[in-house]
Amino acid sequence: MNPAEKETMQLVTDFHHDGFVIARGLFSPGEVAEIERQLQHYMDAFLSELEPGEVYYEDSESRPIKALHRMHERSAYFRDLVSDDRLQHIVSALLAAEPILLSVMFFAKHADHGSATPPHQDNVFQCWSPPDALAATIAIDASTVENGALTIQQGSQQLGLLPHRPSGVKGFSQALCEPLDTVAYPEVALCMEPGDVALHHVLAIHRSDPNTSGRSRRQLGIGYSSSHSRRDEAALARYKTDLGKLNASIEA
Ligand SMILES: O=C(O)CCC(=O)C(=O)O
């Protein structure tokens, strides 16, 4: 086995054990600069026409952008990024299947503004059966404990989908009903440098703190499912009903 294969095998073992892995330095500084340029271009070109569900803003007075969703639908650059050979190689190894693109997203926590993300499992929104799916997070800025790094409960993906309730948080409408024991399932803050890529399982419990620092924490999220997973349509319909109720209560 060559060193690259050995490295991939280690990522697969760690992913199954912990529910996440970090591939360090996957994108070069030049490539991260290009992602930033394309983000700016996306905002300049599309921000005024984005539909509900494609953009979320913080509630604070200056209303910075908190998240963008489905960016691949409007941008050829983000659509192509998903097929990057390095990402495809790792994601197909972790899923042991052909990866299917779900969405390209942007998650921002602006300096001193970024709000908390409640603890949740992505499959409460995605409803994959079997739950073979993951999110790849590309760090644009360094993420640290102070600026609200994504924080995962190690091993929690082994528990299956746990009960969630409406969170009242725009963009993350569901939160775990009960906090999960952090001794049995320790919290790990995914501290990353620009160009690092974290991959977390669709059942891994994760959350993030508000950004209390003077430094922004921006990252791209790319959701992939495996070619053999199917949507649980009944679960998806229940989630959409809850989301509709939440949106109605926010607008009321
Ligand atoms: O940006 C965050 O803190 C949350 C992102 C998230 O929930 C995800 O990537 O699945």
Side-chain angles (χ1 to χ4, degrees):
M1 196 185 301
N2 68 38
E5 283 169 341
K6 234 174 148 178
E7 209 174 297
T8 306
M9 270 198 63
Q10 190 60 53
L11 289 176
V12 173
T13 305
D14 293 348
F15 182 75
H16 288 301
H17 186 263
D18 297 333
F20 68 90
V21 284
I22 300 179
R24 301 281 176 192
L26 208 65
F27 289 88
S28 69
E31 289 172 314
V32 175
E34 180 60 13
I35 290 175
E36 284 191 87
R37 210 179 64 76
Q38 293 288 343
L39 260 173
Q40 192 54 54
H41 174 68
Y42 183 92
M43 291 180 202
D44 293 344
F46 303 121
L47 201 53
S48 60
E49 62 192 59
L50 295 182
E51 312 221 330
E54 284 187 283
V55 59
Y56 292 89
Y57 297 93
E58 295 286 2
D59 282 333
S60 56
E61 209 173 306
S62 58
R63 286 175 51 81
I65 290 176
K66 171 175 167 173
L68 297 168
H69 288 250
R70 308 200 312 267
M71 299 170 73
H72 60 288
E73 290 178 5
R74 294 179 186 266
S75 155
Y77 171 81
F78 289 112
R79 196 156 53 240
D80 291 347
L81 184 64
V82 167
S83 318
D84 176 272
D85 285 346
R86 295 157 298 181
L87 279 177
Q88 287 284 324
H89 174 73
I90 296 179
V91 174
S92 22
L94 298 186
L95 292 177
E98 187 198 336
I100 308 291
L101 167 67
L102 304 177
S103 183
V104 178
M105 300 157 281
F106 170 63
F107 296 110
K109 282 187 197 282
H110 291 265
D112 301 315
H113 269 83
S115 57
T117 300
H120 66 277
Q121 295 167 296
D122 290 336
N123 215 33
V124 75
F125 307 114
Q126 296 181 15
C127 311
W128 292 109
S129 175
D132 295 337
L134 59 76
T137 298
I138 305 174
I140 299 171
D141 300 310
S143 50
T144 63
V145 170
E146 294 73 28
N147 71 7
L150 201 60
T151 296
I152 303 223
Q153 281 193 263
Q154 195 172 16
S156 56
Q157 84 288 354
Q158 291 158 4
L159 296 173
L161 187 67
L162 299 175
H164 286 65
R165 59 172 168 74
S167 68
V169 177
K170 273 186 267 174
F172 297 100
S173 63
Q174 298 280 317
L176 270 193
C177 288
E178 297 291 338
L180 183 67
D181 180 4
T182 53
V183 175
Y185 301 95
E187 287 201 316
V188 181
L190 304 189
C191 295
M192 296 197 279
E193 291 300 319
D196 289 351
V197 178
L199 301 109
H200 68 263
H201 191 277
V202 76
L203 287 173
I205 295 174
H206 56 287
R207 65 173 191 85
S208 62
D209 284 328
N211 186 350
T212 54
S213 78
R215 292 172 173 222
S216 67
R217 190 227 69 180
R218 295 167 302 158
Q219 55 199 32
L220 283 185
I222 307 179
Y224 298 91
S225 70
S226 92
S227 49
H228 58 249
S229 288
R230 297 286 170 269
R231 295 273 194 194
D232 176 341
E233 295 298 339
L236 194 62
R238 278 196 300 278
Y239 155 60
K240 286 189 174 159
T241 305
D242 281 353
L243 184 62
K245 282 187 204 152
L246 171 71
N247 289 341
S249 71
I250 288 170
E251 278 156 23

